[in-house]
Amino acid sequence: MTVTDYVSVPVRLDFDAIAPGFSRAVSALDDAATAELDRVGIEPAVREVVRLRASQLNGCSYCVDMHARAARAAGVSAQRVDAVAVWVESGLFTERERAALDFTEQVTMMATTKVPEQSVRGVVAAFGEEGAAALLSLVIAINTWNAIGVATRCWPTAVRREG
C-alpha cells in the first residue's frame, strides 16, 4: 500500500482556530494533570498507556497514533503497545498497570460502568490516594481531548512512510 492509497478523513471543524480560548484551557488542564503525575511520581510509560487506552475506547484516531508513539518513546515495548487494547486478556501488564488500565476504562465508560468501588479501591491500592487522583486528572484530560478530536476531526492523523 502506498501513501496515496490512504483514505483522507476530512476535518469537520478547525476547533483550535474557532475556539482558541477553550483549546488553550484544555491544554492548561492537560498541563495540570501532567504536573500532578510528576508530583506523585507516576512514570511516563504508565501515563502513555493510560492515554492510549482511553483514546482507543473513545475512537480518537489522532490520539491513538500520538500516544502509541509516545508510549514506545517512553520505553513501552511494541508488543505491549499492541496489547493495550486487550490488556485484560494479556499477561504483559503488571498489577499496578492493570489497576490503572481498569480505572481508565471505568472512568472513560462511566455512563455505563458508574465507576465501580472495586476499581477505585484497586487504583488507590496500587498508587495511593494522591496517585489515584493524579490518574483521574489524566483520564479526565485525555477524555476531553478525545471528545474534541472525535467530534471535530480537527487533528488529522499524519501519514508516515514506512521503511
Side-chain angles (χ1 to χ4, degrees), residues 35-42 96 127 130-131 134:
E36 288 300 313
L37 296 162
D38 288 344
R39 185 178 65 78
V40 299
I42 296 177
R96 189 167 187 258
F127 292 91
E130 289 184 336

Side-chain angles (χ1 to χ4, degrees), residues 120-144:
V120 175
R121 278 192 310 236
V123 79
V124 169
F127 292 91
E129 287 184 346
E130 289 184 336
L135 284 169
L136 179 58
S137 301
L138 177 64
V139 174
I140 290 168
I142 191 60
N143 280 309
T144 302

Side-chain angles (χ1 to χ4, degrees), residues 8-149:
S8 177
V9 177
V11 171
R12 293 176 178 163
L13 292 171
D14 184 354
F15 188 80
D16 295 332
I18 296 167
F22 190 82
S23 186
R24 284 189 303 274
V26 174
S27 186
L29 175 71
D30 194 42
D31 290 346
T34 300
E36 288 300 313
L37 296 162
D38 288 344
R39 185 178 65 78
V40 299
I42 296 177
E43 58 273 21
V46 170
R47 300 172 192 197
E48 293 307 329
V49 167
V50 163
R51 287 177 172 126
L52 176 58
R53 185 61 187 139
S55 298
Q56 290 171 337
L57 291 168
N58 288 319
C60 186
S61 170
Y62 178 84
C63 292
V64 166
D65 179 62
M66 176 189 348
H67 295 297
R69 286 185 288 115
R72 288 189 295 274
V76 180
S77 71
Q79 182 184 23
R80 286 171 25 95
V81 168
D82 292 345
V84 168
V86 293
W87 70 269
V88 172
E89 293 82 18
S90 172
L92 298 175
F93 298 94
T94 66
E95 287 302 318
R96 189 167 187 258
E97 291 166 330
R98 294 173 76 76
L101 287 165
D102 176 65
F103 185 66
T104 299
E105 287 193 7
Q106 301 306 322
V107 173
T108 299
M109 307 301 290
M110 71 181 157
T112 304
T113 69
K114 309 300 184 218
V115 189
E117 180 69 26
Q118 176 182 345
S119 183
V120 175
R121 278 192 310 236
V123 79
V124 169
F127 292 91
E129 287 184 346
E130 289 184 336
L135 284 169
L136 179 58
S137 301
L138 177 64
V139 174
I140 290 168
I142 191 60
N143 280 309
T144 302
W145 284 124
N146 292 162
I148 294 167

